[in-house]
Amino acid sequence: QGTKKRTGGPIAFWPLFGGSPPAPRPQLDKQDPIVQSAIRNAFVKMDQEIVSAPVRLLDKLQKEGKLPNMSSKDSALGVEQSEALATLLPALSGSCALLAFLDAGRNKLHVACTGDSRAVMGVWVPDSTKEGGKWRVEPLSEDQTGRNPHEVERIQKEHPAEEKDTVIVRGRVLGGLEPTRAFGDARYKWPPGTQKTLAAAFHVSLLLPHVGERSD
């Protein structure tokens, strides 16, 4: 997760709406790090909420002595297991996101991206030809996938040296997940054993056969 403020000169947004920007307020420039930090923290906290929800529920039910007491052959859902599935499904799923925040008052654009989505902007480039100009596409974000050399290098540095050749395989995280950052996909984020503990506690392998296959 992260934010990217466009560099290389300001983008003239106001002419697109037939107006002029208000008088500049230089004292607000120091707010840029605050805006970027707020967006970054929002992305991180959203993911933490999704990934940790099933673990918090398991801990709560354990303390209350309310863990489902079901045999592995019983497919009937109790109240606790229904609640568990409601928290497990978002955590097991994965989602990407793009966010663009236009600060029209200061003529600045902040872009946040997580996953394999891409933010682009069409820029009109005038010239003296008969057509009068042409459109140019400018990327505003960087793809976060196992095919991006920068992301591969980042992930390899964050893992033990002996995993360098296995953490990204065929352009995918551990050979399976293409986005290198995403909301959810908790199977790639839970500590070893957590997924099996959740699957065993709520017997969800009956409904979700893939649950419990990974332990990290």
Side-chain angles (χ1 to χ4, degrees), residues 72-95:
S72 60
K73 296 181 180 180
D74 189 355
S75 61
L77 290 177
V79 174
E80 290 82 6
Q81 193 178 34
S82 297
E83 185 179 359
L85 288 175
T87 60
L88 278 169
L89 289 176
L92 292 172
S93 301
S95 179

Side-chain angles (χ1 to χ4, degrees), residues 29-175:
D29 286 347
K30 61 185 179 182
Q31 298 296 323
D32 279 355
I34 297 178
V35 172
Q36 295 169 12
S37 178
I39 296 174
R40 186 180 299 108
N41 290 341
F43 272 51
V44 172
K45 289 182 179 180
M46 170 65 79
D47 183 60
Q48 290 175 341
E49 175 65 25
I50 294 172
V51 172
S52 65
V55 181
R56 292 199 311 270
L57 176 61
L58 178 62
D59 183 63
K60 173 177 173 288
L61 295 179
Q62 284 177 330
K63 290 179 179 179
E64 296 176 354
K66 295 181 179 179
L67 279 178
N69 184 18
M70 301 165 57
S71 68
S72 60
K73 296 181 180 180
D74 189 355
S75 61
L77 290 177
V79 174
E80 290 82 6
Q81 193 178 34
S82 297
E83 185 179 359
L85 288 175
T87 60
L88 278 169
L89 289 176
L92 292 172
S93 301
S95 179
C96 302
L98 275 173
L99 179 147
F101 171 61
L102 172 60
D103 186 345
R106 291 182 289 151
N107 205 35
K108 293 186 178 181
L109 177 67
H110 300 270
V111 173
C113 171
T114 184
D116 55 359
S117 301
R118 182 184 300 178
V120 298
M121 178 176 65
V123 180
W124 177 254
V125 183
D127 58 33
S128 58
T129 64
K130 182 178 180 180
E131 290 77 13
K134 60 182 179 180
W135 286 100
R136 172 171 56 84
V137 176
E138 181 173 344
L140 298 180
S141 63
E142 185 174 358
D143 298 356
Q144 297 169 353
T145 73
R147 301 187 186 280
N148 182 337
H150 296 131
E151 282 294 283
V152 173
E153 182 181 5
R154 177 185 66 83
I155 291 180
Q156 288 176 339
K157 287 182 177 179
E158 293 178 355
H159 284 74
E162 60 269 22
E163 297 180 7
K164 181 178 180 179
D165 296 329
T166 57
V167 66
I168 300 292
V169 180
R170 299 184 302 278
R172 295 174 177 268
V173 179
L174 299 180

